[in-house]
Amino acid sequence: VGLARRAAALAAAGVNRLNVSLDTLRPERFAEITRRDRLGDVLDGMSAAREAGLAPVKINTVLLRGVNDDEPVDLLRYAVDHGFELRFIEQMPLDAQHGWQRAEMVTAGEILAALRTAFTLTPDGHDRGAAPAERWLVDGGPAAVGVIASVTRPFCGACDRTRLTADGQVRSCLFARTETDLRA
Protein backbone atom coordinates (compact mmCIF):
# COMPACT_ATOMS: atom_id res chain seq x y z
CA VAL A 1 0.00 0.00 0.00
CA GLY A 2 2.98 2.35 0.37
CA LEU A 3 4.74 1.42 -2.85
CA ALA A 4 3.67 4.49 -4.84
CA ARG A 5 5.70 6.80 -2.60
CA ARG A 6 8.66 4.40 -2.37
CA ALA A 7 9.04 2.99 -5.89
CA ALA A 8 11.49 5.61 -7.20
CA ALA A 9 13.65 5.35 -4.08
CA LEU A 10 13.70 1.56 -4.32
CA ALA A 11 14.83 1.78 -7.94
CA ALA A 12 17.50 4.34 -7.02
CA ALA A 13 18.73 2.01 -4.26
CA GLY A 14 19.28 -0.78 -6.78
CA VAL A 15 16.07 -2.78 -6.60
CA ASN A 16 15.33 -3.82 -10.17
CA ARG A 17 12.14 -5.89 -9.87
CA LEU A 18 9.52 -6.80 -7.32
CA ASN A 19 6.50 -8.90 -6.54
CA VAL A 20 3.19 -7.54 -5.30
CA SER A 21 0.41 -9.61 -3.75
CA LEU A 22 -2.99 -8.89 -5.28
CA ASP A 23 -5.83 -11.38 -5.01
CA THR A 24 -8.69 -9.34 -6.45
CA LEU A 25 -9.53 -6.30 -8.52
CA ARG A 26 -12.84 -5.72 -6.77
CA PRO A 27 -12.65 -3.01 -4.08
CA GLU A 28 -15.24 -4.56 -1.77
CA ARG A 29 -13.61 -7.97 -2.04
CA PHE A 30 -10.15 -6.47 -1.49
CA ALA A 31 -11.39 -4.82 1.71
CA GLU A 32 -12.88 -8.12 2.86
CA ILE A 33 -9.74 -10.15 2.15
CA THR A 34 -7.20 -7.64 3.52
CA ARG A 35 -9.40 -5.86 6.07
CA ARG A 36 -8.30 -2.60 4.45
CA ASP A 37 -9.98 -0.45 1.80
CA ARG A 38 -6.69 0.19 -0.03
CA LEU A 39 -7.01 -1.42 -3.48
CA GLY A 40 -6.38 1.92 -5.17
CA ASP A 41 -3.12 2.33 -3.25
CA VAL A 42 -1.90 -1.10 -4.37
CA LEU A 43 -2.77 -0.44 -8.02
CA ASP A 44 -1.12 3.01 -7.85
CA GLY A 45 1.97 1.43 -6.29
CA MET A 46 2.28 -1.11 -9.08
CA SER A 47 2.00 1.63 -11.69
CA ALA A 48 4.61 3.73 -9.88
CA ALA A 49 6.95 0.72 -9.75
CA ARG A 50 6.59 0.20 -13.50
CA GLU A 51 7.17 3.91 -14.16
CA ALA A 52 10.29 3.82 -11.94
CA GLY A 53 11.73 1.16 -14.21
CA LEU A 54 11.23 -1.82 -11.96
CA ALA A 55 10.68 -4.73 -14.31
CA PRO A 56 9.12 -7.07 -14.22
CA VAL A 57 6.50 -6.11 -11.69
CA LYS A 58 5.06 -9.51 -10.85
CA ILE A 59 1.62 -9.90 -9.34
CA ASN A 60 1.22 -12.90 -7.04
CA THR A 61 -2.36 -14.11 -6.74
CA VAL A 62 -3.86 -16.89 -4.65
CA LEU A 63 -7.32 -17.95 -5.76
CA LEU A 64 -9.59 -19.09 -2.96
CA ARG A 65 -12.58 -21.29 -3.74
CA GLY A 66 -15.78 -19.34 -3.21
CA VAL A 67 -13.90 -16.10 -2.55
CA ASN A 68 -12.11 -14.93 -5.72
CA ASP A 69 -12.04 -18.01 -7.96
CA ASP A 70 -14.24 -16.15 -10.46
CA GLU A 71 -11.49 -13.61 -11.25
CA PRO A 72 -8.58 -15.33 -13.04
CA VAL A 73 -9.52 -14.01 -16.48
CA ASP A 74 -10.08 -10.46 -15.19
CA LEU A 75 -6.79 -10.51 -13.29
CA LEU A 76 -4.83 -11.73 -16.31
CA ARG A 77 -6.47 -9.22 -18.62
CA TYR A 78 -5.55 -6.43 -16.17
CA ALA A 79 -1.94 -7.65 -15.95
CA VAL A 80 -1.54 -7.90 -19.72
CA ASP A 81 -3.16 -4.51 -20.33
CA HIS A 82 -0.87 -2.81 -17.78
CA GLY A 83 2.41 -4.57 -18.54
CA PHE A 84 2.60 -6.70 -15.39
CA GLU A 85 3.38 -10.41 -15.11
CA LEU A 86 0.70 -12.34 -13.23
CA ARG A 87 1.55 -15.48 -11.30
CA PHE A 88 -1.12 -17.64 -9.74
CA ILE A 89 -0.01 -19.54 -6.66
CA GLU A 90 -1.85 -22.59 -5.39
CA GLN A 91 -2.97 -22.09 -1.82
CA MET A 92 -0.49 -23.91 0.39
CA PRO A 93 -0.92 -25.51 3.80
CA LEU A 94 1.03 -22.83 5.66
CA ASP A 95 -1.59 -21.79 8.18
CA ALA A 96 -0.73 -22.05 11.86
CA GLN A 97 -4.35 -22.95 12.62
CA HIS A 98 -4.10 -26.10 10.46
CA GLY A 99 -7.40 -25.25 8.78
CA TRP A 100 -6.16 -25.74 5.21
CA GLN A 101 -8.21 -28.24 3.20
CA ARG A 102 -6.95 -29.53 -0.14
CA ALA A 103 -10.53 -29.74 -1.47
CA GLU A 104 -10.86 -25.96 -1.02
CA MET A 105 -7.69 -25.24 -3.00
CA VAL A 106 -8.03 -23.99 -6.58
CA THR A 107 -5.59 -26.19 -8.48
CA ALA A 108 -3.20 -25.26 -11.27
CA GLY A 109 -5.32 -27.32 -13.64
CA GLU A 110 -8.44 -25.37 -12.74
CA ILE A 111 -6.61 -22.05 -13.09
CA LEU A 112 -5.28 -22.93 -16.53
CA ALA A 113 -8.69 -24.21 -17.66
CA ALA A 114 -10.32 -20.95 -16.60
CA LEU A 115 -7.67 -18.85 -18.36
CA ARG A 116 -8.01 -20.88 -21.55
CA THR A 117 -11.66 -19.81 -21.82
CA ALA A 118 -10.42 -16.33 -22.79
CA PHE A 119 -6.75 -16.68 -23.80
CA THR A 120 -4.54 -18.96 -25.85
CA LEU A 121 -1.77 -20.24 -23.59
CA THR A 122 1.38 -21.86 -24.96
CA PRO A 123 4.44 -22.97 -22.98
CA ASP A 124 7.04 -20.20 -23.00
CA GLY A 125 9.68 -22.58 -24.35
CA HIS A 126 12.26 -21.93 -21.62
CA ASP A 127 13.66 -24.47 -19.22
CA ARG A 128 12.06 -23.80 -15.86
CA GLY A 129 15.25 -24.58 -13.96
CA ALA A 130 14.86 -23.67 -10.29
CA ALA A 131 12.10 -21.12 -10.92
CA PRO A 132 8.93 -21.84 -8.98
CA ALA A 133 6.55 -20.84 -11.77
CA GLU A 134 5.65 -22.72 -14.92
CA ARG A 135 5.16 -20.00 -17.56
CA TRP A 136 2.87 -19.68 -20.56
CA LEU A 137 2.80 -17.06 -23.28
CA VAL A 138 -0.55 -15.28 -23.46
CA ASP A 139 -2.03 -15.12 -26.96
CA GLY A 140 1.40 -15.71 -28.51
CA GLY A 141 3.28 -13.29 -26.26
CA PRO A 142 5.15 -11.29 -25.32
CA ALA A 143 2.90 -11.26 -22.23
CA ALA A 144 3.27 -14.30 -20.02
CA VAL A 145 1.46 -15.83 -17.06
CA GLY A 146 2.92 -18.15 -14.47
CA VAL A 147 1.42 -20.80 -12.24
CA ILE A 148 3.17 -21.91 -9.08
CA ALA A 149 1.71 -25.34 -8.38
CA SER A 150 3.56 -26.23 -5.21
CA VAL A 151 0.86 -28.67 -4.08
CA THR A 152 -0.29 -30.45 -7.25
CA ARG A 153 3.04 -30.24 -9.12
CA PRO A 154 5.72 -29.96 -6.41
CA PHE A 155 9.13 -28.68 -7.47
CA CYS A 156 11.02 -29.02 -4.17
CA GLY A 157 13.86 -30.99 -5.76
CA ALA A 158 14.79 -28.07 -8.01
CA CYS A 159 14.07 -25.17 -5.64
CA ASP A 160 16.97 -22.90 -4.73
CA ARG A 161 15.01 -20.07 -3.13
CA THR A 162 15.57 -18.45 0.22
CA ARG A 163 12.93 -16.04 1.45
CA LEU A 164 13.19 -12.96 3.62
CA THR A 165 9.93 -12.08 5.38
CA ALA A 166 8.69 -8.55 5.96
CA ASP A 167 9.58 -8.86 9.65
CA GLY A 168 13.21 -9.88 9.08
CA GLN A 169 12.99 -13.66 9.20
CA VAL A 170 14.83 -15.90 6.75
CA ARG A 171 13.07 -19.04 5.58
CA SER A 172 14.90 -21.71 3.65
CA CYS A 173 11.54 -23.11 2.48
CA LEU A 174 7.96 -21.89 2.57
CA PHE A 175 7.10 -25.16 4.28
CA ALA A 176 9.85 -24.78 6.91
CA ARG A 177 8.74 -24.81 10.52
CA THR A 178 11.64 -22.64 11.68
CA GLU A 179 13.03 -19.26 10.68
CA THR A 180 16.23 -17.36 11.38
CA ASP A 181 15.76 -13.91 12.87
CA LEU A 182 18.11 -11.53 11.04
CA ARG A 183 17.19 -8.60 13.26
CA ALA A 184 18.45 -10.36 16.36
Side-chain angles (χ1 to χ4, degrees):
V1 297
L3 183 57
R5 66 181 175 273
R6 293 183 177 96
L10 288 169
V15 173
N16 57 12
R17 63 183 187 172
L18 54 84
N19 297 355
V20 175
S21 295
L22 179 66
D23 297 324
T24 182
L25 292 169
R26 298 181 186 170
E28 68 286 346
R29 191 174 279 174
F30 183 91
E32 182 181 327
I33 291 171
T34 65
R35 295 178 178 80
R36 290 168 180 80
D37 187 13
R38 306 285 299 270
L39 176 61
D41 293 329
V42 174
L43 300 179
D44 290 346
M46 292 175 2
S47 294
R50 184 190 61 232
E51 291 166 15
L54 300 175
V57 173
K58 293 182 181 177
I59 301 171
N60 290 339
T61 298
V62 176
L63 295 178
L64 303 170
R65 195 170 308 284
V67 176
N68 63 344
D69 57 342
D70 59 341
E71 288 192 72
V73 168
D74 293 340
L75 285 157
L76 182 53
R77 188 167 286 118
Y78 177 85
V80 169
D81 288 350
H82 292 86
F84 303 126
E85 184 175 328
L86 180 60
R87 300 182 325 160
F88 290 99
I89 304 172
E90 287 181 337
Q91 183 189 30
M92 295 178 277
L94 303 176
D95 60 325
Q97 308 87 331
H98 304 290
W100 182 87
Q101 298 291 321
R102 186 180 177 116
E104 295 175 7
M105 178 188 71
V106 180
T107 68
E110 291 173 286
I111 294 165
L112 292 169
L115 295 176
R116 287 184 172 122
T117 66
F119 303 97
T120 300
L121 302 179
T122 53
D124 77 348
H126 293 98
D127 178 26
R128 178 177 170 182
E134 295 177 86
R135 295 179 75 236
W136 286 265
L137 296 177
V138 178
D139 294 336
V145 64
V147 177
I148 300 174
S150 56
V151 176
T152 61
R153 301 175 191 170
F155 49 88
C156 297
C159 182
D160 66 355
R161 303 296 168 105
T162 300
R163 288 154 177 94
L164 175 63
T165 67
D167 61 352
Q169 305 294 313
V170 172
R171 299 191 107 191
S172 60
C173 173
L174 284 177
F175 293 107
R177 296 184 182 264
T178 61
E179 299 172 327
T180 301
D181 186 352
L182 289 184
R183 294 175 303 152

